Structure formats: C-alpha cells, structure tokens
Amino acid sequence: MKAHDGLYIDGAWRPAAGRDTIEVVNPVDEQVIGHVPAGTALDVDTAVRAARAAFPGWAATPPAERAARLAALRDVLAARKDEIAETVTAELGAPLAFSQAVHAGVPVLVAGSYAELAATYAFEEKVGNSTVYQEPVGVVGAITPWNYPLHQIVAKVAPALAAGCTVVLKPAEDTPLTAQLFAEAVAEAGVPAGVFNLVTGLGPVAGQALAEHPDVDLVSFTGSTAVGRRIGATAGAAVKRVALELGGKSANVILPSADLAKAVNVGVANVMSNSGQTCSAWTRMLVPAERYDEAVELAAAVAAKYGDRIGPVVNAKQRDRVRGYIEKGVAEGARLVAGGPESPREQGYFVSPTVFADVTERMTIAQEEIFGPVLSILRYEDEEDALRIANGTVYGLAGAVWAGEESEAVAFARRLDTGQVDINGGRFNPLAPFGGYKQSGVGRELGAHGLSEYLQTKSLQF
C-alpha cells in the first residue's frame, strides 16, 4: 500500500503539525518502504478534541447501530485480508502464510465477536430496587505494539467502540502502515467522524502526550512492563483508568504423564511463532528430570526445522537485543543445543531459532522477557518443584500444562499464577479473557471481559 502523508483525525486525512516523518523499513531486506508523519503533542491534542466532541453522539447511539458499524468493519477487514497480510509482511517481516492466517485472519474474528457483543450485552439490569447502567468511560487513548499490529488495534478499538467510547490510536512506529489500513477500513465501515482517530508518531512524543492528556479518560497500552509502569504512574497521578497488557515469561509445564513428543513439538512451535515476538509465548519449558535428556534432544531437532521457516525480528535494535540475551545465556552457563547468536543471513534482522538446555531458574534467560525465538529448557524434580519454578518470575501472563489426563493438567493449572493456561494444546479462543497476573498487566482484553474495561457503572435507586 501507499503510505498516507497525513493523520486520520475527525474523519479525514489531515497534515501533521510538524514536518518530521518516520521511515518504515522492511526487516527482511532492510529497505525503506514508506514514510509516515511523526505526530506531535499538538496533533494528539487535535485528535483528542475531535474524539471528545464526537463522544456524546456516539455514546448515545443505540447499541444495535454500534453493532452494525462493527459488523461492517469486520466485513471490510475480511474483504481486504490479502492487502492487510501483504502490508504486515512488508513492515513486520512475518511469512505471508502466517500473516494471512493470523495477522489478517484473527482480527476479523475479534471484530465480529464485538459486533455480536454490542448487540447482546446487558448494558442495563435490575438489581432489587435499583437499575444499574453500564456506560462508556469516555475518550480512550490506545497505544499498540508492533508484534501483532492489527490484532492489537482491533482488540482495543473494537470493544471501545462497542461500549460507546471514542478513540485516539497511537500505533507502533515500526508498523504504522497496517494502522493506516485500519483507519481506511473504519471510514469505509461508516464509523462517524471523530469516533476513531489515528496519530502516528514516536512513543516518547505522541504516546506520552496521549497518556498525559487531561481529556483522555482511559489509557489502554500493550507493550513492555517498563513502559507500562510509567503509563500507570502517569494515569495514577490523574486518577485515570488504565488497561495494561505487558510482558510475559510463560511456563510450558510438561508433567510426567504427558505425551512428551507432542508437548515438545507444540511447545517449540509456540516459541518460534511470529519469530518469538509474542508476549504470551511459552519461553520456559519445564520437564521432569527423568525425561529431561529426551526432551532436549527432541526440542533441538524440532528447532532445527525452523531455520528457514520464520521471519526476521522487527528491527536492528530488537535483533541485537535478542542476540545479547543469547550471549548472556552462554556466559551464565546455559548449553546451546540449537541456534546461537550468529546471524543466519547476511541481510535482514534475522535471529537463529535457539534452544538452551541446562538452564537454571535464576539465569537471566529464565527470568527476563527476550521477545525472540529463544527457548529455555529447565528440569524439575517433582510437581511442587515445577510449580515453584513456573511461578518464580515477576510475570504471569500465560502458560501451558500437559498431562495424560485432562483433570491432572487442570488441577496443576489452577495453581499457576497466570492469566491464561492452555491445557494439552488448547486452541486460541477470541472470546476468552486475555491478560496477566503480577507485572504482566492490569485488566483483560477480548470477549465480554474486554468490553467491560471500557465501561463504568451507574446505579439508580427507586
């Protein structure tokens, strides 16, 4: 697609206040594929004012009509699926088949789910002698990451619109072309002017201005825990609502009764998916000591098959960051059984699919989020030891448990300090709440729980 040279504000593409632009680089060949405006605090203010002006009308729009606009948005995204996939592949580097199935396909499901929820959600209920109303929070500042550029946008904007909120979106600077496609889809779907606004720009400039703006009622942010802390502190000073989906270091717990080959195969695939750039990836594989060597051999063999099947990471900084973690793992005594810090290609931001064995729980690679195709395999002695290791990080976003009997896996999963757990390879559910415990975030996305983040409660007594 051709990049827009303006910002989408109040239903139209408008020039930015300044002249600075952001280069969009293809991480496969390192070529510049476009430029977008570097929005300023003034641009953010203009967008927020448009969202504030549009809020009363959109909040008063009947839920059935909001549902109709979301259904139209779903249909536009579905019709433009190929273009979306090609754009994501160009600016993120994901293989085209993965972009088609996941990056373009999942947002259609999520948008459709909110079209249905907007039409059926109980925005009003009777409780004794009270009538309780669920009302929109107001203007939402949405700040989204680059790893799933369209999914993360839809997971915030769709429930906000379903609730009756208006939105200003600040997308990641690495993947702004996908965000521009989304703005086109919003316009094509007939969403009224000012209800959705897009300001491309840098996080410390446009993102910070959006988080700090006094007329933003809720900030929804997905990204690193470090940035999430700063946004939380800013919002707290203004007593402003926040929804934070942050980092993860999820455990893939393989209990002794599990089908080891299946658990290892699926576990490695999970880590390598999207080049490891998934906050919920199962980056710690926990294996019983008596089956440890077998699991390591299997994982190394599976990882070797991904050498030419995954794309690059998003940019040079991220490539160097991931390589640095691999080097630190070696320095701290972990054993490389697949991959390593050396680049597999001369051009592009590629990182070799990497597997570490002999990882101990206090090593850096077992504690910190790497955000690349790197798996750490840890051994445990018994179930209590596995539970202690699995819960032994500051994160609690996701995880997996494998066992011969589903009931055994469920019993263990209920003891994990994490927001969602896949049982024996359970499938993704776009209606299930997604979010974390501990430093993995505040609030939930997807489904009815995601919708409730954008609502506030009022009761009238009779």
Side-chain angles (χ1 to χ4, degrees):
M1 67 165 291
K2 183 179 183 297
H4 288 278
D5 57 5
L7 310 172
Y8 186 76
I9 298 176
D10 203 17
W13 293 97
R14 304 172 183 275
R19 296 183 178 181
D20 290 344
T21 61
I22 297 170
E23 284 187 345
V24 185
V25 176
N26 185 323
V28 173
D29 58 16
E30 304 179 45
Q31 298 301 303
V32 175
I33 58 174
H35 295 80
V36 299
T40 65
L42 179 59
D43 295 311
V44 168
D45 182 65
T46 302
V48 172
R49 289 175 183 273
R52 177 59 65 193
F55 174 67
W58 184 246
T61 299
E65 175 57 25
R66 299 202 296 262
R69 293 307 98 217
L70 286 167
L73 176 61
R74 173 202 60 205
D75 293 345
V76 174
L77 294 176
R80 302 182 70 173
K81 185 176 177 180
D82 289 344
E83 183 184 5
I84 290 167
E86 290 167 2
T87 301
V88 173
T89 290
E91 61 182 355
L92 181 63
L96 185 58
F98 187 80
S99 290
Q100 290 170 333
V102 177
H103 288 296
V106 171
V108 174
L109 297 176
V110 174
S113 74
Y114 281 112
E116 295 178 10
L117 272 170
T120 59
Y121 192 83
F123 290 99
E124 177 183 337
E125 65 174 332
K126 289 286 187 179
V127 180
N129 65 307
S130 301
T131 300
V132 179
Y133 297 92
Q134 299 295 324
E135 299 182 341
V137 169
V139 175
V140 173
I143 304 173
T144 56
W146 43 259
N147 59 326
Y148 289 91
L150 184 59
H151 169 64
Q152 294 288 355
I153 289 171
V154 172
K156 297 182 187 303
V157 175
L161 299 190
C165 297
T166 55
V167 180
V168 177
L169 169 68
K170 205 299 285 185
E173 47 263 40
D174 291 288
T175 54
L177 303 184
T178 302
Q180 290 189 341
L181 273 180
F182 179 77
E184 292 178 2
V186 167
E188 191 174 340
V191 175
V195 171
F196 170 81
N197 306 273
L198 169 67
V199 178
T200 53
L202 301 176
V205 180
Q208 183 171 335
L210 186 57
E212 294 177 346
H213 200 289
D215 269 343
V216 170
D217 300 294
L218 181 151
V219 179
S220 180
F221 168 79
T222 297
S224 72
T225 296
V227 176
R229 289 192 194 102
R230 294 199 293 271
I231 288 175
T234 297
V239 196
K240 182 182 299 188
R241 291 266 296 270
V242 294
L244 303 173
E245 199 270 280
L246 308 175
K249 195 68 185 176
S250 301
N252 179 18
V253 183
I254 304 174
L255 296 177
S257 62
D259 180 336
L260 184 68
K262 182 178 180 181
V264 170
N265 269 275
V266 175
V268 173
N270 176 278
V271 173
M272 302 306 161
S273 177
N274 208 40
S275 302
Q277 299 169 126
T278 303
C279 54
S280 58
W282 312 332
T283 51
R284 295 180 298 146
M285 181 180 289
L286 276 56
V287 182
E290 63 271 20
R291 306 196 71 182
Y292 187 80
D293 291 341
E294 182 183 358
V296 169
E297 184 178 351
L298 281 169
V302 175
K305 299 176 182 178
Y306 281 86
D308 57 357
R309 291 167 55 184
I310 65 173
V313 295
V314 70
N315 56 36
K317 180 180 179 181
Q318 185 65 15
R319 177 199 60 198
D320 295 344
R321 179 178 186 271
V322 175
R323 288 181 185 171
Y325 272 110
I326 296 172
E327 291 168 351
K328 181 166 287 190
V330 173
E332 291 183 359
R335 176 166 56 97
L336 271 174
V337 296
E342 297 79 14
S343 176
R345 302 192 191 185
E346 292 184 2
Q347 188 177 44
Y349 309 131
F350 289 88
V351 177
S352 295
T354 297
V355 177
F356 278 106
D358 300 339
V359 179
T360 60
E361 59 188 289
R362 302 318 303 173
M363 286 182 178
T364 302
I365 58 172
Q367 288 291 319
E368 297 184 9
E369 184 176 48
I370 298 173
F371 227 61
V374 181
L375 170 65
S376 296
I377 308 179
L378 298 87
R379 59 168 54 85
Y380 66 84
E381 298 303 324
D382 55 28
E383 188 171 304
E384 292 304 313
D385 192 35
L387 183 68
R388 180 185 60 77
I389 295 170
N391 287 336
T393 74
V394 298
Y395 298 111
L397 185 56
V401 181
W402 301 80
E405 296 293 332
E406 183 177 290
S407 59
E408 181 187 3
V410 169
F412 189 94
R414 291 296 305 272
R415 302 170 70 195
L416 289 173
D417 298 333
T418 192
Q420 64 169 19
V421 185
D422 294 341
I423 302 298
N424 287 338
R427 293 179 293 110
F428 172 74
N429 180 1
L431 298 178
F434 180 84
Y437 288 19
K438 300 189 286 187
Q439 292 188 30
S440 284
V442 176
R444 293 294 181 268
E445 294 187 325
L446 303 181
H449 292 82
L451 177 59
S452 68
E453 293 292 332
Y454 299 93
L455 295 167
Q456 53 191 351
T457 304
K458 177 185 290 179
S459 65
L460 275 60
Q461 286 59 249
F462 296 90

